Amino acid sequence: MDNNDPKIISEYISALSNSASICDKDKAYIIWGIEDRTHDIVGTQFKPKQFKIGNEELENWLLRLLKPRVDFHFVEVSMNDKKHCDIRNSACT
């Protein structure tokens, strides 16, 4: 996934949280910068900590608008000089 559309990201966060709960898992993940088929690290230009909606950071915007509230956070990592990012979110309760 290399999408930076806030609406789509919010839908994925909500869906993964529900799926984790249904599958009796504690967490679910969305990962940017990894090739789907090969799992190779290809990198991403998506920088969620710098992405803003108006003057509000993306993470704060999502936390404020997702109902019911979903506990998640963005993690940005560099590996082999390529940047990837993931969202780690908890299962809904």
Side-chain angles (χ1 to χ4, degrees):
M1 177 175 159
D2 208 21
N3 191 318
N4 65 359
D5 182 319
K7 184 174 180 340
I8 291 173
I9 293 169
S10 68
E11 290 171 0
Y12 277 127
I13 290 171
S14 181
L16 285 172
S17 180
N18 289 331
S19 296
S21 182
I22 289 168
C23 295
D24 200 27
K25 302 292 183 186
D26 293 334
K27 300 198 180 294
Y29 303 90
I30 301 172
I31 301 175
W32 286 261
I34 305 294
E35 166 61 40
D36 288 339
R37 287 178 286 114
T38 64
H39 299 159
D40 289 342
I41 300 168
V42 295
T44 184
Q45 298 299 313
F46 181 52
K47 298 175 183 169
K49 302 289 185 187
Q50 296 175 8
F51 194 94
K52 293 191 185 272
I53 298 162
N55 288 328
E56 191 171 12
E57 291 180 10
L58 175 62
E59 188 167 338
N60 291 337
W61 184 84
L62 290 165
L63 285 167
R64 182 172 55 82
L65 293 179
L66 283 171
K67 303 286 186 235
R69 188 180 191 290
V70 176
D71 182 30
F72 74 91
H73 63 278
F74 287 100
V75 178
E76 296 180 47
V77 179
S78 289
M79 186 178 290
N80 300 334
D81 295 324
K82 293 180 183 167
K83 192 172 162 174
H84 72 277
C85 169
D86 63 68
I87 292 179
R88 298 173 186 184
N89 65 303
S90 299
C92 64
T93 54

